[in-house]
């Protein structure tokens, strides 16, 4: 699969974000769970006629709120706002509780679209309070849905998950399967944003299962689109295209033009990522036509934006600006704050590509300020990167580096190959289990039919013999089912245990990446800037060797002691160089020739050596020393790591004074792995911490003893 060039990846991300947010359609599905959107004009006309002859009562309030809903469906925000204000005012006047609660929820929706999240939350709390007074659980559920969405927009994912959890309890109590499926879908979107794609896929599949039970074709289509979104995130564009196309066909079958338009847009994004601009433009024009038929202004803005980006790639900058500024006008009219932030950065990109860097910087500033005002983190990050690129082109390396550091500090973890594999395995597992379940049911049905047939053929056999024969058949069938289920459970447990081991190994091998590699690169940069070619070359050579060894070792769950010691030596040499020989070290091996050949789990020792350096030696006045000793004891290796640092008590005091929040994940993971090994091999492996003191009772360092298993 062709991968995007670095310079074009962010354009695709901006396009993807446009359809990820879906601020209007998304909330409508959350609240109303419509199966299709059709003939809205006829519905509005009918409600308008009803309104002309309505008295000032609750029926009129309901009609006004229904008009608000219908205008929301076609994304006519000004009209929706006007009718909601009228419906809410009348509901207050009539003391109409359910109308008041729904009007407050709608008002919160409009405030959210304007980026006024605090005010939106206040309206929803009022709505919940009104619903509690009247016992309206459904109204509470709708308000909690919207609260979850707002906290999602605020990137406060823990609160969003909590609100969706509260809503889920209500919908389960009310046995509202459509809303339960929608909550699972929303949770999937959150975990997609968090990068936890395994969890996201799990929720999407739960949502899909319920929608299949309900026969909700539009819901199934939406779930297929969201699963496609996961593959889109992973840049598995072939798989993403397959899911988007299947989703489009289901929407087409049910006549849902809105869904067809969204999937056409998503397919256009795929082809944009693959640089197939002609096909991308064809899909965007198709989505434009569908949005235009629906009178969907927000959809039209999305289509104009994406068509403009196509013309930008073709270096037709005037056409690109014409289309994207049309998108900007619509988003200003609709008060779509998030959409404005997206469109402003796109305009900046056009000016940057056309060489008008002053205008580019101006639009990036507008996008950044707007994004900061609503805490739109992903777009803030994109603006930082855009500034870095522009200032680099202008030769202002200081500002370019400044903005790149801001971008790098906010950048989320990159999805690696293991996650790709786990996602594929989870999807395959779901499809396989579904097929196995269908086969099992079919076999059982055939078995029942066979038993009925045998019973009819054996009418002349005495009742006692027939009864005994039936019991035997039933016992055999029950025993077969028992054996099948037991074997399946054993396989499942073994598979989960194997996955857990591999996951923990991978997590451990990556634990030194975040700070060690960053600090090492800074040190190399320091030597280079000071024109110390010898030191920088030596440092860079050792750093490259260490990275190579780590990458080689990461391919294996076990390595030899010699291989582990080689990596440890390089790590100690790099740390000693980086801290200007602030400490000495020595590695002592008992019967070194035979000891080096033993197999042990990968990277168990290094986290404790790192702990000794960072928390024991760096705060010590004077030169420090660290000693690593290895010797064989029975069926394990005893590793002692001893330093003459400030001691654990003093290190903890320094940590508390500086109010550090750092947690030693490396040592914690190692201890967890040793516990797992104890469980798997029935051995007694341990970690022992010993505080050292001098003759005067003062702290003189720390000794750590680790019992490491020797693996055949």
């Amino acid at each position: 699969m062709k991968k995007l060039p670095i310079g074009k990846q962010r354009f695709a991300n901006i396009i993807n974000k446009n359809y990820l947010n879906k601020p209007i359609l998304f909330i409508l599905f959350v609240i109303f769970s419509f199966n299709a959107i059709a003939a809205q004009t006829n519905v509005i006309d009918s409600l308008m006629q009803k309104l002309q002859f309505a008295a000032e009562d609750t029926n009129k309030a309901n009609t006004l709120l229904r008009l608000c809903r219908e205008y929301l469906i076609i994304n006519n925000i000004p009209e929706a706002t006007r009718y909601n204000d009228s419906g809410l005012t009348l509901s207050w006047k009539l003391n109409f509780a359910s109308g008041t609660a729904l009007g407050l929820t709608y008002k919160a929706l409009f405030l959210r679209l304007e980026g006024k999240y605090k005010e939106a939350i206040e309206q929803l709390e009022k709505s919940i309070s009104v619903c509690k007074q009247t016992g309206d659980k459904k109204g509470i559920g709708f308000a909690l849905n919207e609260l979850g969405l707002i906290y999602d927009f605020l990137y406060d994912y823990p609160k969003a998950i909590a609100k969706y959890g509260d809503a889920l309890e209500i919908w389960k109590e009310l046995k509202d399967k459509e809303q339960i499926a929608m909550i699972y879908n929303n949770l999937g979107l959150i975990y997609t944003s968090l990068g936890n794609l395994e969890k996201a896929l799990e929720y999407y599949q739960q949502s899909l299962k319920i929608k299949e039970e309900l026969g909700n074709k539009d819901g199934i289509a939406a779930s297929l689109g969201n699963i496609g979104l996961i593959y889109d995130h992973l840049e598995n564009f072939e798989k993403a295209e397959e899911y988007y196309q299947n989703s489009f066909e289901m929407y087409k079958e049910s006549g849902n033009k809105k869904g067809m338009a969204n999937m056409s847009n998503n397919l256009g994004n795929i082809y944009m990522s693959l640089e197939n601009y002609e096909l991308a433009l064809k899909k965007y024009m198709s989505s434009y036509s569908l949005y235009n038929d629906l009178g969907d202004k927000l959809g039209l803005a999305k289509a104009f934006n994406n068509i403009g980006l196509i013309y930008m790639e073709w270096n037709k900058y005037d056409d690109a600006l014409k289309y994207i500024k049309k998108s900007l006008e619509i988003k200003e009219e609709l008060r779509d704050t998030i959409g404005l932030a997206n469109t402003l950065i796109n305009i900046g990109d056009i000016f940057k590509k056309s060489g008008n860097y002053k205008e580019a910087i101006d639009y990036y500033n507008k996008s950044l300020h707007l994004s900061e005002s609503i805490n739109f983190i992903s777009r803030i990050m994109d603006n930082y990167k855009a500034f870095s690129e522009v200032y680099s082109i202008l030769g202002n390396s200081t500002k370019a580096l400044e903005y790149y550091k801001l971008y790098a500090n906010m950048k989320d973890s990159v999805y690696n190959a293991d996650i790709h594999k786990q996602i594929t395995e989870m999807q395959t597992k779901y499809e396989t289990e579904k097929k196995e379940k269908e086969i099992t049911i079919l076999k059982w049905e055939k078995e029942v039919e066979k038993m009925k047939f045998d019973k009819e053929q054996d009418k002349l056999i005495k009742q006692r013999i027939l009864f005994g024969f039936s019991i035997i058949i039933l016992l055999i069938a029950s025993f077969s089912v028992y054996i099948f289920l037991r074997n399946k459970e054993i396989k499942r447990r073994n598979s989960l245990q194997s996955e857990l081991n591999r996951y923990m190994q991978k997590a451990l091998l990556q634990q030194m990446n975040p700070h060690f590699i960053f600090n090492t690169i800074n040190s190399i940069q320091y030597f280079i800037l000071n024109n110390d070619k010898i030191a920088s070359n030596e440092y860079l050579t050792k750093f490259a060797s260490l990275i190579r060894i780590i990458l080689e070792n990461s391919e294996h769950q076990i390595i030899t002691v010699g291989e582990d010691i080689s990596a440890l030596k390089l790590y100690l040499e790099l740390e000693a160089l980086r801290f200007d020989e602030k400490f000495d070290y020595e590695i002592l091996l008992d019967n070194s020739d035979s000891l080096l050949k033993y197999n042990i789990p990968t990277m168990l020792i290094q986290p404790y050596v790192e702990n000794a350096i960072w928390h024991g030696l760096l705060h010590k006045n004077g030169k420090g020393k660290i000693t690593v000793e290895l010797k064989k004891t029975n069926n394990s290796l005893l590793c002692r790591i001893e330093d003459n640092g400030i001691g654990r008590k003093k290190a903890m005091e320094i940590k508390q004074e500086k109010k550090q929040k750092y947690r030693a994940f490396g040592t914690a993971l190692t201890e967890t792995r040793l516990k797992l090994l104890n469980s798997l091999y029935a051995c007694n492996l341990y970690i022992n911490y010993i505080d050292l003191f001098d003759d005067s009772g003062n702290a003189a360092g720390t000794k750590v003893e680790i019992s490491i298993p020797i693996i055949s």
Side-chain angles (χ1 to χ4, degrees):
M1 179 59 62
K2 187 175 183 181
K3 193 169 183 177
L4 278 171
I6 296 297
K8 294 184 180 177
Q9 287 178 359
R10 190 172 60 76
F11 297 130
N13 289 338
I14 292 172
I15 299 169
N16 290 344
K17 270 293 182 183
N18 284 341
Y19 71 78
L20 251 177
N21 290 321
K22 294 181 284 186
I24 302 301
L25 179 64
F26 184 69
I27 186 62
L28 284 175
F29 272 115
V30 170
I31 294 180
F32 300 109
S33 301
F34 287 132
N35 290 332
I37 301 173
Q40 298 307 136
T41 303
N42 292 336
V43 175
I44 290 173
D45 290 342
S46 175
L47 289 171
M48 292 294 289
Q49 290 179 3
K50 184 177 179 181
L51 189 63
Q52 290 179 2
F53 304 101
E56 294 292 307
D57 56 12
T58 57
N59 288 329
K60 182 176 182 179
N62 277 326
T63 302
L64 290 166
L65 293 171
R66 281 199 62 193
L67 279 165
C68 167
R69 180 183 67 176
E70 299 305 321
Y71 278 112
L72 270 173
I73 293 173
I74 60 174
N75 291 331
N76 189 332
I77 305 302
E79 285 298 295
T81 303
R82 184 167 71 87
Y83 282 106
N84 183 64
D85 288 343
S86 299
L88 180 58
T89 301
L90 183 57
S91 295
W92 273 114
K93 181 180 177 181
L94 299 172
N95 197 23
F96 179 31
S98 61
T100 299
L102 184 57
L104 289 170
T105 301
Y106 281 143
K107 187 173 182 179
L109 184 153
F110 300 132
L111 289 168
R112 171 176 62 79
L113 294 176
E114 296 177 29
K116 297 178 180 179
Y117 300 119
K118 183 179 179 181
E119 294 90 333
I121 291 171
E122 290 174 356
Q123 297 302 314
L124 289 168
E125 288 173 348
K126 289 179 182 178
S127 176
I128 291 172
S129 176
V130 172
C131 291
K132 284 181 177 179
Q133 292 174 14
T134 60
D136 182 5
K137 291 185 178 181
K138 186 175 287 189
I140 296 173
F142 290 148
L144 287 170
N145 287 353
E146 177 67 13
L147 275 172
L149 186 61
I150 289 174
Y151 286 121
D152 187 358
F153 273 99
L154 289 172
Y155 295 87
D156 191 343
Y157 296 124
K159 283 188 179 179
I161 292 170
K163 295 302 178 184
Y164 284 141
D166 293 341
L168 187 60
E169 289 183 10
I170 290 175
W171 299 127
K172 284 183 176 179
E173 182 182 348
L174 297 174
K175 298 180 180 180
D176 190 329
K177 288 189 175 183
E178 286 193 0
Q179 288 297 329
I180 292 171
M182 194 53 57
I183 292 296
Y184 285 147
N185 181 79
N186 295 352
L187 288 168
L189 290 171
I190 288 180
Y191 283 105
T192 300
S193 299
L194 287 169
N196 189 341
L197 302 186
E198 301 96 321
K199 194 73 173 176
L201 183 57
E202 178 184 334
Y203 278 117
Y204 288 148
Q205 288 173 342
Q206 286 180 283
S207 179
L208 176 60
K209 183 178 179 182
I210 294 174
K211 291 168 184 175
E212 287 175 338
E213 291 175 359
L214 296 173
N216 183 345
K217 290 187 177 181
D218 281 356
I220 295 170
S223 293
L224 292 174
N226 284 337
I227 294 173
L229 181 63
I230 289 182
Y231 288 107
D232 204 337
H233 268 276
L234 294 172
E235 297 185 6
N236 186 342
F237 298 125
E238 184 177 353
K239 200 72 175 176
E241 180 185 13
E242 177 187 338
Y243 275 95
Y244 288 153
Q245 189 62 46
N246 289 339
S247 176
F248 177 87
E249 294 300 330
M250 290 201 74
Y251 280 131
K252 184 177 180 180
E253 184 180 340
S254 64
N256 188 332
K257 286 189 176 182
K258 183 75 171 185
M260 292 167 62
N262 285 333
M263 287 305 112
S264 292
N265 182 75
N266 291 3
L267 286 165
N269 296 337
I270 291 291
Y271 300 130
M272 182 78 166
S273 299
L274 295 172
E275 299 182 28
N276 189 340
Y277 301 127
E278 289 80 5
L279 192 52
L281 181 59
K282 182 179 178 181
K283 292 297 180 182
Y284 289 147
M285 293 302 295
S286 175
S287 68
Y288 163 79
S289 177
L290 289 163
Y291 287 133
N292 193 47
D293 289 345
L294 292 167
D296 184 344
K297 291 187 177 181
L298 193 63
L300 287 171
K302 186 193 312 181
F304 285 139
N305 179 82
N306 294 344
I307 292 169
L309 292 180
I310 293 287
Y311 282 109
M312 181 184 71
E313 293 301 323
W314 284 337
N315 299 327
K316 297 180 179 180
Y317 303 120
D318 290 339
D319 290 333
L321 282 173
K322 179 181 73 174
Y323 278 105
I324 292 185
K325 285 187 175 180
K326 284 183 179 180
S327 175
L328 186 68
E329 290 173 2
I330 295 174
K331 289 173 181 177
E332 286 174 342
E333 177 189 346
L334 298 178
R335 294 176 291 182
D336 179 10
T337 310
I338 290 174
L340 283 170
N342 290 332
T343 303
L344 288 168
I345 195 173
N346 286 346
I347 295 175
D349 288 335
I350 294 172
F351 281 119
K352 182 187 75 173
K353 195 171 182 184
S354 65
N356 191 339
Y357 303 118
K358 182 179 178 181
E359 287 290 333
I361 291 171
D362 182 48
Y363 275 96
Y364 288 147
N365 268 318
K366 291 177 181 178
S367 178
L368 178 60
H369 292 155
L370 191 59
S371 300
E372 287 175 337
S373 71
I374 59 173
N375 198 29
F376 192 3
I377 292 177
S378 60
R379 203 56 65 242
I380 293 172
M381 187 172 65
D382 286 336
N383 277 291
Y384 285 154
K385 187 176 181 183
F387 277 124
S388 176
E389 292 169 354
V390 171
Y391 284 119
S392 178
I393 294 170
L394 293 173
N396 191 337
S397 57
T398 302
K399 279 198 170 184
L401 180 60
E402 175 189 344
Y403 278 108
Y404 188 80
K405 284 183 177 180
L406 289 170
Y407 162 75
N409 288 336
M410 294 184 73
K411 192 174 185 297
D412 293 331
S413 301
V414 178
Y415 306 121
N416 56 37
D418 286 335
I419 295 180
H420 285 249
K421 183 179 178 182
Q422 291 169 16
I423 293 296
T424 303
E425 288 176 352
M426 183 174 287
Q427 179 65 17
T428 303
K429 179 182 176 184
Y430 169 76
E431 293 173 354
T432 302
E433 288 181 349
K434 183 179 178 181
K435 289 179 181 178
E436 287 178 352
K437 183 179 178 182
E438 291 173 352
I439 292 171
T440 302
I441 292 172
L442 183 61
K443 285 182 177 179
W444 181 257
E445 289 175 348
K446 288 182 178 180
E447 185 68 23
V448 171
E449 289 298 322
K450 183 177 181 298
M451 291 174 65
K452 288 180 178 179
F453 175 79
D454 291 340
K455 185 176 180 180
E456 291 175 358
Q457 294 298 311
D458 297 334
K459 288 181 180 180
L460 298 176
I461 300 175
K462 293 181 179 180
Q463 186 177 3
R464 186 175 297 176
I465 296 175
L466 181 59
F467 179 75
F469 181 74
S470 299
I471 291 295
I472 292 172
I473 293 295
L474 183 60
L475 287 173
I476 292 173
S478 299
F479 182 75
S480 299
V481 172
Y482 168 76
I483 293 298
F484 171 79
L485 292 176
R486 189 186 68 171
N487 289 340
K488 186 176 179 181
E489 177 65 16
I490 290 171
K491 288 180 182 179
R492 187 186 70 84
R493 288 175 63 86
N494 289 341
S495 176
L496 287 175
Q497 191 173 32
S498 176
E499 285 294 323
L500 175 62
N501 290 340
R502 286 201 297 270
Y503 180 81
M504 294 183 70
Q505 289 282 353
K506 293 294 182 182
L508 178 62
L509 290 173
Q510 293 176 6
Q511 62 87 29
M512 61 186 291
N513 289 346
H515 59 276
F516 173 72
I517 292 178
F518 182 80
N519 292 335
T520 301
I521 291 174
N522 278 344
S523 297
I524 295 172
Q525 185 183 33
Y526 172 80
F527 287 128
I528 293 172
L529 292 174
N530 284 276
N531 205 25
D532 191 344
K533 296 181 180 178
I534 295 174
S536 60
N537 183 62
E538 179 184 6
Y539 207 125
L540 187 58
T541 301
K542 290 180 178 180
F543 176 67
S545 298
L546 177 60
I547 293 299
R548 178 180 58 79
I549 291 174
I550 289 174
L551 291 173
E552 289 175 351
N553 290 349
S554 69
E555 297 296 321
H556 311 285
Q557 294 190 37
I558 60 171
I559 59 174
T560 64
V561 173
E563 290 169 334
D564 206 15
I565 292 300
S566 296
L568 184 62
K569 282 181 178 178
L570 278 172
Y571 171 75
L572 284 165
E573 289 173 10
L574 284 170
E575 292 288 53
L577 279 171
R578 189 158 66 88
F579 295 110
D580 198 21
E581 305 297 333
K582 184 174 175 61
F583 64 90
D584 294 325
Y585 65 89
E586 63 178 347
I587 299 176
L588 305 176
L589 303 176
D590 183 24
N591 297 324
S592 59
D593 290 338
S594 60
L595 192 70
L596 294 173
K597 298 177 182 178
Y598 289 126
N599 290 326
I600 62 173
T602 308
M603 292 290 285
L604 283 178
I605 302 172
Q606 184 272 340
Y608 294 94
V609 174
E610 178 183 352
N611 223 34
I613 294 171
W614 280 82
H615 300 290
L617 299 181
L618 292 188
H619 299 293
K620 176 182 173 64
N621 294 324
K623 196 157 190 174
K625 182 177 181 180
I626 184 167
T627 302
V628 180
E629 180 183 2
L630 270 171
K631 66 179 182 179
K632 186 176 182 297
T633 59
N634 298 324
N635 293 323
S636 64
L637 295 179
L638 180 62
C639 176
R640 292 192 179 95
I641 302 167
E642 182 175 342
D643 67 77
N644 65 343
I646 61 175
R648 292 192 297 166
K649 183 178 178 182
K650 184 64 177 176
M652 183 59 69
E653 291 174 357
I654 292 173
K655 178 180 176 182
Q656 290 174 347
E657 288 174 0
K658 294 182 177 181
K659 297 182 179 179
Q660 294 177 342
K661 296 182 179 179
Y662 173 81
R663 181 184 175 192
F665 281 105
T667 56
L669 279 169
T670 303
E671 292 170 9
T672 302
R673 291 172 66 202
L674 285 175
K675 290 178 182 178
L676 179 61
L677 289 167
N678 280 336
S679 175
L680 291 175
Y681 298 105
C683 50
N684 185 23
L685 312 176
Y686 63 87
I687 301 171
N688 188 27
Y689 294 87
I690 302 171
D691 296 314
L692 304 178
F693 301 90
D694 59 20
D695 295 337
S696 301
N698 297 318
T702 306
K703 181 193 293 184
V704 181
E705 292 182 344
I706 314 169
S707 176
I708 304 175
I710 297 174
I711 301 175
S712 302

